[in-house]
């Protein structure tokens, strides 16, 4: 069935071969890819955490590096999912025409996009997990509740993967992605409580920031790493799910418009 | 054999497609019986690729009635594509994979089990003249090899119908001949081929029937020999030389039709004797006497002006 432009995506499970395709490519470059994903956020976390943290008293009742750990997990999750849904997906769609090749088979855009979404979330899961392991190894978390961060990572990856696929569907070239980073990702990192408590910000900024998906991820991950059950956990989960669902729908409509001309 | 085997592999009725006010396909109809090769010919921008995309259900037509492998398109295009192979105009092989991995990964999109695909790979590669290249990286393949791999990939699901969009554009003569040979083998095995091409010799050689389309309209349709016989005089004499235009125009009655393009005059003739006699007295002019070809039909029907 050819999907009408505004239909709700119903991919079933036939997207799995497309996910496996991306996995097979990744497997060939797995070690440099994991090291690359791990090095950058760890340098920030350890540099800022211990360097800057040495100058600071406790933040929200814990050492700065412990405070920063949760922010690092979710922000590197966001970055991994975003990069995959922007640059890598765009390469497959626009440069290599991998999607065109797939669309000549019984699979449709819904299958391709679902696979890209789950793939972006899978890669971000790997990134987030790697950092979680380092955090545990450094003794920055002590609670089994920290394991609940794993689904939070995946959910965060889905939300940012879906948002990234919207940008991918709109992009005329790679240069376009710079706007998304400069206007959305970077400001969001600064107002969502990754590096410092968001309530340090003017009330209006804090109010807006509360609506951003990264804030919800931070508000889930930070208490869990510190061994506490997050306040309003269901609300944050629902917010991330809503972002993922709505953004994926918008990305589907835009991608159909772009490719099924 | 199922009951559909006697029906047309592809049937297109009154296909129309516009982009804004621009009608790219303006009411094209044709049908392709199973086991035959059908060619869509036309200048750049004639609507060939749009027609193919509509047949595959990748482009939503404004109106049409299309049946592919017995399935209505676009309503059941995904199902129809299970039994279809596509060789796109530009190779889109996965550069990160080896030759064999490309076939394996592509076969999975059809829901074929890995073991089944793996068992087909040697035969597919042999067919494409890529035997023993299983582990080769894509970057090490020549243009012709990539094209053949694309053909092998289009056969991974053992399709009944194969769409080929300009299958030999950009290939050297050896590679073209190899592709032609393989396409003939495919029709001999009962596969249906639908191809677009700019090469008239290719169309003449491969196609049982073909349609010339231009500006979205079908200009003519028929078997290649039949089109030549219907549309054009049997002989062509091409005369080259300085001042050929003036010379030719003053003797236009020596052929049924005369066309001058640059420093060449094309005489289309039923009887060439008077023209050849006249040319014998003109040592400054060179000429080529040949049988009329599909290219002459094409030029007559679509004109000589350049298309973008």
């Amino acid at each position: 069935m050819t999907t009408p432009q505004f239909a709700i995506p119903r991919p079933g499970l036939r997207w799995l071969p497309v996910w496996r395709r991306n996995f097979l490519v990744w497997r060939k470059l797995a070690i440099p890819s994991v090291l690359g994903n791990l090095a950058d956020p760890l340098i920030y976390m350890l540099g800022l955490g211990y360097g800057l943290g040495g100058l600071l008293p406790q933040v929200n009742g814990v050492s700065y590096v412990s405070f920063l750990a949760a922010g690092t997990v979710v922000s590197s999750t966001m970055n991994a999912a975003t990069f995959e849904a922007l640059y890598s997906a765009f390469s497959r769609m626009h440069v290599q025409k991998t999607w065109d090749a797939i669309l000549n088979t019984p699979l449709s855009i819904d299958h391709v996009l679902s696979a890209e979404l789950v793939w972006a979330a899978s890669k971000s899961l790997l990134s987030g997990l790697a950092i979680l392991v380092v955090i545990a190894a450094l003794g920055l978390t002590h609670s089994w509740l920290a394991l609940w961060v794993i689904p939070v990572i995946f959910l965060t990856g889905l939300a940012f993967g879906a948002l990234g696929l919207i940008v991918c569907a709109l992009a005329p070239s790679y240069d376009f992605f710079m706007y998304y980073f400069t206007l959305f990702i970077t400001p969001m990192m600064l107002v969502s409580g990754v590096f410092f408590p968001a309530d340090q910000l003017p009330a209006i900024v804090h109010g807006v920031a509360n609506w951003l998906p990264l804030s919800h991820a931070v508000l889930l991950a930070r208490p869990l790493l510190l061994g506490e059950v997050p306040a309003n956990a269901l609300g944050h989960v629902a917010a991330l799910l809503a972002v993922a669902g709505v953004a994926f729908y918008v990305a589907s409509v835009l991608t159909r418009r772009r490719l099924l001309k | 054999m199922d009951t559909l085997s006697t029906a047309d592999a592809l049937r297109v009725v009154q296909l129309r497609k516009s982009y804004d006010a621009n009608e790219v396909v303006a009411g094209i109809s044709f049908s392709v019986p199973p086991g035959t090769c059908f060619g869509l010919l036309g200048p750049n921008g004639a609507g060939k690729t749009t027609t193919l995309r509509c047949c595959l259900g990748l482009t939503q037509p404004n109106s049409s009635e299309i049946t592919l492998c017995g399935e209505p398109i676009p309503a059941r295009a995904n199902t129809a594509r299970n039994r279809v192979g596509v060789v796109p105009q530009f190779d889109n092989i996965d550069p990160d994979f080896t030759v064999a991995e490309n076939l394996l990964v592509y076969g999975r999109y059809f829901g074929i089990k890995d073991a089944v695909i793996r068992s087909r790979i040697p035969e597919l590669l042999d067919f494409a003249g890529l035997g023993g290249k299983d582990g080769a990286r894509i970057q090490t393949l020549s243009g012709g090899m990539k094209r053949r791999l694309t053909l092998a990939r289009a056969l991974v699901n053992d399709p009944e119908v194969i769409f080929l969009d300009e299958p030999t554009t950009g290939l050297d003569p050896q590679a073209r001949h190899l592709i032609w040979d393989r396409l003939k083998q495919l029709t001999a095995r009962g596969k249906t081929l639908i191809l677009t091409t700019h090469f008239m010799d290719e169309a003449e050689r491969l196609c049982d029937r073909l349609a010339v389309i231009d500006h979205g309209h079908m200009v003519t349709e028929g078997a290649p020999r039949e089109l030549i016989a219907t549309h054009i005089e049997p002989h062509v004499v091409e005369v080259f030389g300085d001042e050929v235009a003036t010379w030719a125009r003053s003797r236009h009655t020596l052929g049924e039709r005369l066309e001058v393009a640059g420093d060449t005059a094309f005489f289309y003739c039923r009887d060439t004797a008077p023209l050849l006699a006249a040319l014998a007295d003109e040592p400054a002019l060179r000429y080529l006497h040949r049988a009329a070809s599909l290219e002459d039909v094409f030029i007559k029907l679509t004109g000589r002006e350049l298309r973008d």
Side-chain angles (χ1 to χ4, degrees):
Chain A
M1 170 71 193
T2 302
T3 327
Q5 194 179 335
F6 292 100
I8 301 286
R10 292 178 201 281
L13 280 176
R14 293 206 67 176
W15 53 266
L16 257 172
V18 183
W19 185 93
R20 285 181 77 190
R21 178 227 164 261
N22 292 349
F23 177 72
L24 186 57
V25 175
W26 172 83
R27 219 175 56 184
K28 296 184 173 229
L29 304 160
I31 290 173
S33 158
V34 171
L35 286 180
N37 280 333
L38 197 56
D40 202 48
L42 275 185
I43 289 166
Y44 271 94
M45 185 177 84
L46 300 178
L48 288 177
Y50 290 109
L52 190 59
L55 303 173
L56 294 172
Q58 294 203 321
V59 179
N60 283 11
V62 293
S63 71
Y64 182 56
V65 69
S66 298
F67 176 87
L68 191 57
T72 306
V73 172
V74 293
S75 64
S76 67
T77 301
M78 168 179 82
N79 281 327
T82 305
F83 262 96
E84 194 61 31
L86 262 55
Y87 291 93
S88 308
F90 188 76
S91 298
R92 295 189 276 269
M93 171 180 76
H94 188 71
V95 184
Q96 293 176 196
K97 307 278 181 196
T98 309
W99 293 8
D100 285 350
I102 299 170
L103 294 178
N104 284 329
T105 73
L107 303 184
S108 69
I109 283 189
D110 287 0
H111 302 119
V112 173
L113 273 192
S114 308
E116 292 290 354
L117 175 66
V118 180
W119 174 246
S122 309
K123 266 200 85 172
S124 70
L125 177 65
L126 216 84
S127 259
L129 268 182
I131 290 168
L132 200 58
V133 168
V134 175
I135 287 169
L138 290 174
L140 298 176
T141 182
H142 304 284
S143 166
W144 287 108
L145 273 177
L147 288 178
W148 282 100
V149 174
I150 297 168
V152 171
I153 292 171
F154 192 72
L155 188 54
T156 308
L158 285 176
F160 285 99
L163 288 168
L165 287 173
I166 295 180
V167 183
C168 177
L170 294 170
S173 72
Y174 289 111
D175 300 328
F176 185 74
F177 299 142
M178 197 43 99
Y179 296 114
Y180 183 63
F181 276 100
T182 326
L183 299 176
F184 186 63
I185 296 288
T186 309
M188 186 162 49
M189 286 244 285
L190 290 171
V191 302
S192 296
V194 169
F195 298 108
F196 50 84
D199 50 22
Q200 294 286 309
L201 292 162
I204 181 155
V205 181
H206 186 208
V208 172
N210 271 338
W211 287 88
L212 294 173
L214 191 62
S215 299
H216 295 290
V218 169
L219 291 172
L220 285 167
R222 182 160 291 138
L224 288 170
L225 281 184
L226 299 175
E228 298 156 18
V229 176
N232 190 21
L234 280 182
H236 297 308
V237 169
L240 285 171
L241 276 175
V243 169
V246 172
F248 184 65
Y249 174 70
V250 174
S252 299
V253 173
L254 293 174
T255 310
R256 288 173 196 149
R257 195 186 65 177
R258 178 176 184 141
L259 293 183
L260 299 184
K261 283 187 301 229
Chain B
M1 281 215 158
D2 62 87
T3 49
L4 290 168
S5 58
T6 50
D8 289 323
L10 172 67
R11 213 175 117 77
V12 176
V13 182
Q14 281 300 314
L15 172 63
R16 287 178 183 278
K17 175 67 189 176
S18 311
Y19 293 106
D20 301 322
N22 182 19
E23 193 161 49
V24 181
V25 182
I28 285 182
S29 303
F30 61 91
S31 52
V32 187
T36 64
C37 177
F38 184 83
L40 276 174
L41 274 57
N44 286 333
K48 301 184 299 288
T49 301
T50 305
T51 302
L52 288 196
R53 285 181 61 86
C54 288
C55 292
L56 288 165
L58 298 175
T59 291
Q60 186 79 38
N62 296 89
S63 70
S64 76
E65 214 175 280
I66 301 176
T67 314
L68 173 62
C69 296
E71 305 285 356
I73 306 295
R76 287 176 55 81
N78 291 13
T79 313
R81 289 202 301 267
N82 270 310
R83 292 146 72 191
V84 168
V86 178
V87 176
Q89 191 171 344
F90 302 103
D91 288 324
N92 48 27
I93 304 164
D94 247 311
D96 300 300
F97 294 144
T98 64
V99 166
E101 283 169 342
N102 260 284
L103 298 178
L104 177 68
V105 168
Y106 207 73
R108 285 174 181 164
Y109 300 146
F110 291 88
I112 308 172
K113 294 223 165 13
D114 281 14
V116 177
I117 308 170
R118 282 185 212 278
S119 70
R120 279 185 200 162
I121 287 176
E123 187 198 332
L124 286 169
L125 291 183
D126 276 345
F127 180 78
L130 293 169
K133 289 275 179 194
D134 309 50
R137 291 170 51 79
I138 301 307
Q139 290 79 358
T140 65
L141 303 185
S142 68
M145 289 164 122
K146 286 185 191 161
R147 207 72 192 130
R148 273 138 55 198
L149 178 57
T150 306
L151 177 63
R153 192 183 67 173
L155 300 175
V156 76
N157 56 327
D158 193 19
E160 294 161 32
V161 179
I162 302 148
F163 287 86
L164 305 112
D165 199 356
E166 300 188 18
T168 65
T169 298
L171 298 187
D172 63 26
Q174 289 85 348
R176 292 178 71 197
H177 280 272
L178 190 128
I179 297 260
W180 289 344
D181 174 68
R182 295 309 189 262
L183 296 185
K184 281 187 173 164
Q185 288 186 31
L186 289 173
T187 41
R189 288 188 206 167
K191 308 281 187 201
T192 309
L193 306 187
I194 292 134
L195 66 89
T196 74
T197 183
H198 293 299
F199 299 118
M200 300 302 135
D201 52 340
E202 179 166 290
E204 215 168 322
R205 216 176 267 247
L206 294 175
C207 298
D208 298 296
R209 287 183 76 73
L210 48 87
V212 177
I213 62 177
D214 197 13
H215 302 299
H217 292 275
M218 190 175 282
V219 184
T220 189
E221 191 201 344
R225 289 280 114 207
E226 190 182 302
L227 291 180
I228 296 168
T230 321
H231 288 282
I232 209 138
E233 299 74 14
H235 300 281
V236 182
V237 180
E238 296 182 23
V239 186
F240 327 92
D242 301 330
E243 312 294 323
V244 73
T246 354
W247 183 88
R249 289 211 172 90
S250 65
R251 288 165 182 79
H252 66 94
T253 50
L254 291 173
E256 267 71 21
R257 238 160 26 86
L258 168 68
E259 269 184 44
V260 178
D263 61 354
T264 307
F266 295 82
F267 285 91
Y268 297 90
C269 312
R270 296 197 187 287
D271 175 14
T272 53
L275 175 60
L276 296 181
L279 280 166
D281 298 333
E282 298 288 342
L285 296 176
R286 289 168 295 122
Y287 69 91
L288 169 72
H289 175 200
R290 59 176 174 79
S293 71
L294 201 54
E295 185 146 333
D296 300 306
V297 177
F298 187 80
I299 297 276
K300 183 185 174 190
L301 296 176
T302 62
R304 277 192 193 274
E305 79 274 21
L306 202 60
R307 306 300 175 88
D308 295 320

